[in-house]
Amino acid sequence: MKKFFCAQCNGRVFFENSRCIFCQAELGFVVADLSIATFQAAGTDKTHQRIGGSGLYRRCANVKTAGACNWMVVAENPDPFCRSCRLNRTIPDLSKPRNQQAWLKLETAKRRLLHSLLTLGLPVTSKVENPAQGLAFDFLEDTPPGVPGDDRVFTGHAEGLITINLDETDDPKREKARQLMGEMYRTVLGHFRHEVG
């Protein structure tokens, strides 16, 4: 991941930041130039002007959810979600606190994956935009034993639909699976990279 700096104070900021830790300026990821940009309010309709840049943006609708998205959307775009969040087909049941933490870990890893794909110049489109070659994500959990359906979710892919089991965000469970399968590494980001391949 490359280094990012706040345009207001020149302090070092990081890929997940939505505020500068030094001057508290608003930050957001801009897909067009793959950068963490600094923003200031531009009116009362929740639009933001990029400091040192042009165009109006607004925050992804998932900024205040457990997904904590810091990606920006061009203000003219009618979709409330950013390029990353539009890829979600199924998110976890957020009424469960465990799932809120799991979703944050999944979204963090997914955004890092997408940054890598975009940096490499690879296409990142949703299944809605391109049903044949687009991407979609299902973040699912196992049905508890004894509950009707009693289903086990397998992490995998099928023609651009990537399914990740929420258990992969549970560090002890993931480590146990790593040891049982004799893997050198097993990370949430690693699963995304493997399945998107």
Side-chain angles (χ1 to χ4, degrees):
M1 187 66 63
K2 68 179 184 178
K3 293 181 181 180
F4 301 106
F5 297 91
C6 173
Q8 184 163 288
C9 72
N10 204 37
R12 175 108 187 258
V13 296
F14 300 93
F15 186 63
E16 287 82 17
N17 290 149
S18 57
R19 284 205 175 270
C20 175
I21 58 175
F22 300 104
C23 72
Q24 297 302 304
E26 290 196 49
L27 304 173
F29 181 72
V30 176
V31 171
D33 58 8
L34 302 175
S35 69
I36 296 293
T38 309
F39 293 90
Q40 60 189 5
T44 58
D45 60 351
K46 300 185 179 182
T47 57
H48 302 275
Q49 174 69 49
R50 185 173 179 173
I51 295 175
S54 61
L56 294 176
Y57 295 83
R58 59 185 157 68
R59 294 203 171 277
C60 175
N62 277 332
V63 66
K64 294 193 178 186
T65 67
C69 184
N70 70 335
W71 284 32
M72 303 300 283
V73 180
V74 175
E76 303 88 53
N77 187 331
D79 199 308
F81 297 106
C82 72
R83 193 163 177 185
S84 175
C85 292
R86 284 193 299 262
L87 301 176
N88 291 341
R89 191 176 86 158
T90 309
I91 65 169
D93 175 359
L94 299 180
S95 67
K96 301 176 184 177
R98 170 194 177 264
N99 289 1
Q100 293 177 22
Q101 288 298 313
W103 191 39
L104 176 60
K105 288 181 180 182
L106 290 167
E107 287 297 330
T108 300
K110 182 181 68 160
R111 288 189 288 264
R112 285 184 169 263
L113 166 77
L114 296 177
H115 179 273
S116 296
L117 295 176
L118 292 166
T119 299
L120 293 169
L122 297 171
V124 176
T125 57
S126 72
K127 282 246 173 242
V128 172
E129 297 164 312
N130 185 339
Q133 296 179 329
L135 284 174
F137 292 90
D138 281 348
F139 301 137
L140 306 172
E141 62 183 318
D142 294 338
T143 304
V147 172
D150 197 6
D151 291 326
R152 171 110 173 92
V153 173
F154 292 97
T155 294
H157 65 89
E159 298 180 3
L161 173 61
I162 296 171
T163 302
I164 306 282
N165 186 320
L166 266 59
D167 279 350
E168 292 300 339
T169 67
D170 185 308
D171 295 338
K173 286 182 180 179
R174 192 176 60 252
E175 176 59 17
K176 183 178 178 183
R178 184 193 71 75
Q179 290 177 7
L180 285 172
M181 298 182 79
E183 299 172 331
M184 282 184 76
Y185 304 104
R186 190 180 182 102
T187 66
V188 178
L189 180 56
H191 277 302
F192 277 94
R193 287 176 174 159
H194 175 81
E195 300 307 337
V196 83

